[in-house]
Amino acid sequence: MRCAVVNLQTNIVMNVIVADAAVDPAPGGCFLVNTEGSCNIGWVYDDVMNDFVDPNPPEEEEPV
């Protein structure tokens, strides 16, 4: 299962690993979140929406 390692203080994804958040321990100062969608290092975990947000989304191209 794909799992995000999220910093407890900042909610920033520190790593993406193969683990199960329900049974595997998180590294110190972090918690695990199972993820089936898009998520990458540096993304922010929104615990209200239970989703990950890319802080640097691709810029939209202006129409020509």
Side-chain angles (χ1 to χ4, degrees):
M1 180 172 292
R2 193 165 186 251
C3 197
V5 179
V6 182
N7 183 289
L8 276 169
Q9 294 179 342
T10 63
N11 278 4
I12 295 175
V13 176
M14 307 302 291
N15 203 352
V16 179
I17 61 173
V18 175
D20 184 352
V23 295
D24 293 319
C30 296
F31 61 96
L32 300 179
V33 178
N34 290 329
T35 177
E36 295 176 12
S38 291
C39 162
N40 212 341
I41 294 171
W43 286 31
V44 179
Y45 176 65
D46 182 341
D47 54 353
V48 173
M49 299 296 290
N50 192 32
D51 200 6
F52 296 90
V53 178
D54 184 353
N56 301 308
E59 293 183 25
E60 293 183 24
E61 293 183 23
E62 293 184 24
V64 266

